[in-house]
Amino acid sequence: QVQLVESGGGLVQAGGSLRLSCVASGSIFSIPAMGWYRQAPGKQRDLVARISSGGTTTYADSVKGRFTISRDNAKNTVYLQMNSLKPEDTAVYYCQYVGRRVYWGQGTQVTVSS
């Protein structure tokens, strides 16, 4: 069993920045792949960014060049640095852990005002 706790969401003006954190705990026996997804009201949950166990990163085209995913394996933590935020980035952001099965965090709200 793995638990994921997200933090760092909030309200920010367009053009501003936020950093999301996700701490994994529980039955962690190897370095996992992890990622961030987001879901706006009435929309499906879509990939924002992912990072492999080896550190390879992947980004959605809509956030490429603005968001950076990183990890601290010693702390079992993944981060999402979000810069140049746009109102279109408003969504609930979910942390994902890929191990023996896929785990999800509870989500953290990010709201970007015009």
Side-chain angles (χ1 to χ4, degrees):
Q1 183 179 343
V2 174
Q3 297 81 44
L4 304 174
V5 179
E6 300 122 325
S7 62
L11 175 65
V12 66
Q13 292 282 129
S17 298
L18 286 172
R19 187 178 74 164
L20 306 184
S21 299
C22 174
V23 180
S25 62
S27 300
I28 303 170
F29 300 105
S30 62
I31 301 172
M34 298 186 73
W36 290 95
Y37 286 68
R38 67 187 181 187
Q39 186 169 25
K43 307 295 183 181
Q44 71 176 35
R45 186 177 299 186
D46 292 324
L47 172 72
V48 177
R50 65 163 65 97
I51 184 165
S52 74
S53 60
T56 301
T57 58
T58 303
Y59 298 92
D61 288 342
S62 59
V63 308
K64 200 169 297 181
R66 299 188 297 121
F67 292 10
T68 303
I69 188 170
S70 61
R71 66 192 304 156
D72 185 336
N73 292 330
K75 298 180 179 179
N76 293 319
T77 301
V78 63
Y79 305 95
L80 185 68
Q81 179 66 47
M82 305 184 293
N83 298 326
S84 301
L85 282 161
K86 305 174 181 179
E88 308 94 271
D89 297 318
T90 295
V92 177
Y93 284 69
Y94 296 91
C95 180
Q96 181 199 60
Y97 172 106
V98 182
R100 296 171 66 182
R101 70 171 184 87
V102 176
Y103 296 88
W104 295 95
Q106 291 296 312
T108 184
Q109 176 70 47
V110 172
T111 302
V112 184
S113 62
S114 300

